[in-house]
Amino acid sequence: MMIALPVHDANSAPASRPRLPERAGIGLRSQHYQQVLDANPAVGFFEVHAENYLVAGGPFHHYLGLIRERYPLSIHGVGLSIGAQQPLDTEHLQRLAVLLERYQPQAFSEHLAWSSHGELFLNDLLPLAYDSATLERVCEHVDQVQTRLQRQMLLENPATYLEFTGSTMDEAAFIGEVVRRTGCGLLLDVNNAYVSSVNQHWDAQAYLHALPLAAVGEIHLAGFAEDRDAAGARLLIDNHGAPVDEAVWRLYAEVLQLIGATPTLLERDNHIPPLDLLVQEAQRAQRLLDASRPARQQASA
Amino acid sequence: MNSQEDFVAALLDPQRDCPPQLKAWNGSDPAARFAVYRNNVLSSLVDALAVSFPVVQQLVGEEFFRAMAAVHVRQSPPRSRILADYGAGFPGFVEGFPPAASLPYLADVARLEWLRIRAYHAADAAPLASDALAAALVAPETLGALLFQLHPALGLLDSAFAVVSLWAAHQGALAIAGVDPYQAQCALVLRNGLEVEVLGIRPGDARFIQALQQGLTLGRATQQASALDAGFELGACLAHLLRAGAITHLAYDSERPLP
Amino acid sequence: MKNTASQAISAAGLALALGAALAISSAPLTAHAADNEKCFGVAMKGKNDCAAGPGTTCAGTSKVDYQGNAWKFVPQGTCAQTASPTSPSGFGQLEAFKEVKKS
């Protein structure tokens, strides 16, 4: 099942591998296109959701093309449904390949989740049972993606709200195994790690330490909303609609202690504030990055 | 056996029980936690429709719109992973939705908004070179056999209702109190550079453009437009199309004899 | 080719109209006309997000659906402000309403 990829071929020069800068970036929103071009905000990179750009033409491509000329880019997929109990949609994968060819992003990432079933697209990142059947399937799909795209992909740890009785391994071990078997990188979403830890009553630090941290190629930070479950326990909702929580900032600082400066995205999908506020939040991450030791030479071995 | 099938069925149907084999660390009812996923699916897709159909939402109010959109989402969830494609079936759904029957124009307003979405994301195409039409004028006897290829973003709506005025009133362009929804209007939607424009056009203009879209010659299209609408002005109509970059190629119809 | 209506559109007529179209379309718009034609629409947004919605208590679990008499909403938006069918629409033809991106 393992497929040798150029990206983790021992003979390939690490310097030739496209990498995001070890700086703070923000999500690119259509409402900010013109302002980004006018003001050239001091961010390290922009990230876009792949599916928003799988349209034929028009302003989205126009602006992304102009902004790509000035900034490094991360393309973040939200619709590939890597965890689905059905084959990957090869047409969708083909569309992604065309998009990546066009914009040459420094990173491509997707989620450890599923979002499609049959013909239907549910538009949410749905949870997986962590068992051997799921592991085989996810690894097969990650292999398929990396082979088709001819690059390493980063897999993002999910925010979850419940667990499956049938899970036979914990999430960090599951992710570690996917990384080991496929050579993919980890997109470490620190907010997701915190949200899931609260929701599943895990020790967030222990969870982080159990992840394959050497494979982290990018970090996500975001805000959450707070709710309660049926027993009144805290239930955090990964709504990307608020500033990053202080608890998440503390975890982020700990992660940087462990792995050094790593490209970091401030995610905001709901209640989009003015560009200046997003840039300010990114600057807070940038200060932590500046204070941390230089990046590792290599994301994974 | 496919557990995701149960999960999906329960996501879309609030009457169904939460799927089996789910648990919470504290032994609490997993249904409350499953509700987060149910809510994400429905609210994110209703949000997507609200973004695509803002004037429909303003016309009926947010509460009515979200309830109506939720019915559509559950009946017809997306079949594309690209949400820019989601909503093509919404105008037809609105048309047949009994609680909205008191607003017979609502479906056509939705159709107009959908044309705008399509226009926004349509393929790029360079406008006709400025001298191409002038070159064609050199041989006036061949003009009747000219074929026009139109921009892929271009869309037409021939409505029994005042769709353009209703839409424009929600952009602050005119007072809604002055709009009689029951006056027939034709709308032309096109993308001029990066901007999507909505234009109210004469019935003759609409027939003319439709005929060109169908691949009819300039002569035939003009004929049809004039027959329908005595006030049709070919020069003014073409000038608008040219100014908006809506004509992309010229060709001659080789299969028909020149007039 | 049949006669009647087709005869009415002569080559000369077409040439005249095309010439006029070229002249009109290449003339610069006056500032006044350009202002009049523009108004602000809602900027299009990307709709594929990876965020969760507002929580557990909203639409997802609501059992409100259209099942005949279960429907309890009535349209309560701007539709109530439209004019009666007899009043003039007050809207001229061939006016453009452009979407203008807000930045």
Side-chain angles (χ1 to χ4, degrees):
Chain A
M1 186 172 79
M2 254 313 286
I3 294 168
L5 290 170
V7 287
H8 48 93
D9 179 343
N11 296 325
S12 69
S16 69
R17 188 192 291 190
R19 286 178 64 95
L20 290 172
E22 273 97 23
R23 295 183 58 197
I26 60 175
L28 179 61
R29 316 301 310 200
S30 57
Q31 16 328 26
H32 297 147
Y33 284 148
Q34 193 57 53
Q35 217 186 335
V36 167
L37 289 174
D38 293 343
N40 275 314
V43 295
F45 63 97
F46 280 99
E47 184 163 287
V48 296
H49 292 155
E51 283 70 13
N52 284 334
Y53 293 84
L54 297 181
V55 293
F60 280 23
H61 284 295
H62 171 83
Y63 284 108
L64 184 57
L66 291 175
I67 290 164
R68 177 68 186 92
E69 285 172 14
R70 302 187 190 176
Y71 290 92
L73 179 69
S74 162
I75 292 187
H76 187 49
V78 298
L80 198 49
S81 200
I82 279 178
Q85 285 171 333
Q86 62 186 19
L88 282 187
D89 179 342
T90 51
E91 272 177 44
H92 194 73
L93 192 49
Q94 170 62 18
R95 288 191 288 264
L96 289 174
V98 171
L99 187 73
L100 266 55
E101 182 62 31
R102 177 167 179 178
Y103 291 105
Q104 300 287 320
Q106 279 79 2
F108 171 73
S109 50
E110 252 288 356
H111 298 84
L112 179 58
W114 60 286
S115 54
S116 282
H117 183 71
E119 294 286 295
L120 302 184
F121 176 61
L122 283 314
N123 194 39
D124 191 25
L125 300 166
L126 300 166
L128 292 165
Y130 298 126
D131 59 21
S132 59
T134 310
L135 181 63
E136 298 255 325
R137 192 170 75 234
V138 167
C139 288
E140 215 170 282
H141 290 170
V142 170
D143 279 343
Q144 193 183 346
V145 172
Q146 296 190 126
T147 303
R148 177 65 191 85
L149 300 181
Q150 281 297 295
R151 65 185 299 151
Q152 186 193 42
M153 64 162 283
L154 306 177
L155 188 68
E156 179 176 339
N157 58 299
T160 56
Y161 307 104
L162 43 72
E163 290 180 293
F164 290 82
T165 53
S167 285
T168 54
M169 56 185 102
D170 65 43
E171 184 174 289
F174 184 96
I175 291 171
E177 199 53 22
V178 175
V179 166
R180 192 184 68 77
R181 291 196 196 179
T182 67
C184 75
L186 175 58
L187 167 47
L188 173 56
D189 189 314
V190 179
N191 184 58
N192 287 357
Y194 182 73
V195 162
S196 295
S197 293
V198 169
N199 291 347
Q200 320 296 2
H201 208 58
W202 303 335
D203 175 338
Q205 268 136 336
Y207 171 82
L208 284 174
H209 279 271
L211 285 172
L213 291 178
V216 175
E218 184 185 342
I219 291 174
H220 273 182
L221 298 175
F224 55 76
E226 199 151 344
D227 210 319
R228 298 272 158 189
D229 77 359
R234 273 179 100 197
L235 187 63
L236 303 186
I237 314 287
D238 176 40
N239 75 343
H240 297 187
V244 177
D245 191 83
E246 288 305 320
V248 173
W249 281 117
R250 284 193 294 276
L251 272 184
Y252 173 58
E254 286 176 37
V255 168
L256 293 185
Q257 285 277 317
L258 291 168
I259 65 175
T262 303
T264 300
L265 179 84
L266 276 293
E267 275 190 303
R268 186 71 78 92
D269 290 313
N270 288 316
H271 315 300
I272 311 284
L275 181 62
D276 293 352
L277 291 183
L278 291 179
V279 172
Q280 275 173 33
E281 211 179 14
Q283 281 164 351
R284 179 166 174 185
Q286 187 62 54
R287 285 192 293 275
L288 290 169
L289 288 166
D290 291 342
S292 61
R293 68 188 162 78
R296 294 156 285 109
Q297 283 304 299
Q298 194 47 48
S300 61
Chain B
M1 126 122 204
N2 190 320
S3 58
Q4 291 181 351
E5 189 148 343
D6 293 341
F7 208 95
V8 169
L11 279 174
L12 292 171
D13 182 357
Q15 317 283 358
R16 282 178 82 114
D17 289 339
C18 157
Q21 292 151 358
L22 303 180
K23 65 171 183 180
W25 65 272
N26 55 3
S28 66
D29 184 356
R33 289 162 172 260
F34 184 71
V36 177
Y37 295 105
R38 263 186 175 144
N39 189 55
N40 286 347
V41 170
L42 198 74
S43 66
S44 71
L45 293 172
V46 168
D47 284 348
L49 292 174
V51 168
S52 294
F53 299 97
V55 175
V56 172
Q57 173 164 298
Q58 289 174 71
L59 279 165
V60 298
E62 188 178 350
E63 188 185 52
F64 186 98
F65 181 87
R66 294 193 72 87
M68 175 168 72
V71 175
H72 180 62
V73 166
R74 284 186 172 135
Q75 280 180 10
S76 311
R79 282 164 193 276
S80 165
R81 297 156 193 240
I82 302 155
L83 286 186
D85 295 339
Y86 188 52
F90 190 60
F93 165 80
V94 168
E95 186 154 48
F97 188 59
S102 63
L103 305 176
Y105 51 82
L106 199 60
D108 274 1
V109 173
R111 289 190 177 96
L112 180 59
E113 295 202 282
W114 185 249
L115 287 178
R116 292 184 71 247
I117 300 283
R118 279 197 34 215
Y120 195 80
H121 295 302
D124 300 312
L128 190 66
S130 57
D131 53 355
L133 208 51
L137 273 170
V138 171
E141 68 284 358
T142 65
L143 291 177
L146 264 186
L147 293 170
F148 290 73
Q149 191 171 332
L150 302 178
H151 197 284
L154 187 138
L156 275 178
L157 181 63
D158 184 353
S159 176
F161 305 102
V163 279
V164 179
S165 300
L166 284 167
W167 185 82
H170 290 86
Q171 317 307 317
L174 52 93
I176 185 136
V179 177
D180 169 10
Y182 297 93
Q183 294 203 347
Q185 285 182 348
C186 296
L188 173 64
V189 177
L190 45 78
R191 194 173 78 221
N192 189 358
L194 296 174
E195 292 172 359
V196 173
E197 297 179 357
V198 174
L199 298 99
I201 58 173
R202 303 182 58 96
D205 296 330
R207 174 59 66 87
F208 176 74
I209 294 164
Q210 186 187 35
L212 294 183
Q213 277 184 318
Q214 290 165 349
L216 298 188
T217 60
L218 177 64
R220 293 279 296 165
T222 307
Q223 216 178 75
Q224 289 193 358
S226 302
L228 179 82
D229 178 357
F232 172 66
E233 286 182 50
L234 177 60
C237 185
L238 274 179
H240 258 272
L241 292 176
L242 286 170
R243 198 193 275 286
I247 301 172
T248 56
H249 289 97
L250 284 187
Y252 284 96
D253 183 0
S254 55
E255 300 193 355
R256 288 171 199 224
L258 299 183
Chain C
M1 190 185 269
K2 284 195 277 184
N3 49 2
T4 64
S6 64
Q7 243 58 9
I9 298 142
S10 65
L14 287 178
L16 208 63
L18 261 63
L22 277 174
I24 302 168
S25 64
S26 55
L29 277 181
T30 65
H32 179 71
D35 283 348
N36 275 352
E37 285 187 347
K38 280 199 179 176
C39 70
F40 290 84
V42 179
M44 302 274 180
K45 291 188 272 192
K47 282 166 279 196
N48 279 96
D49 280 333
C50 58
T56 59
T57 50
C58 296
T61 46
S62 154
K63 292 185 169 55
V64 173
D65 231 320
Y66 180 65
Q67 296 164 337
N69 55 8
W71 187 264
K72 63 182 181 194
F73 305 104
V74 288
Q76 279 182 322
T78 51
C79 62
Q81 300 164 31
T82 54
S84 68
T86 50
S87 67
S89 120
F91 175 60
Q93 302 282 28
L94 276 172
E95 286 182 72
F97 296 95
K98 298 178 182 180
E99 180 192 52
V100 178
K101 267 159 296 306
K102 295 172 199 168
S103 51

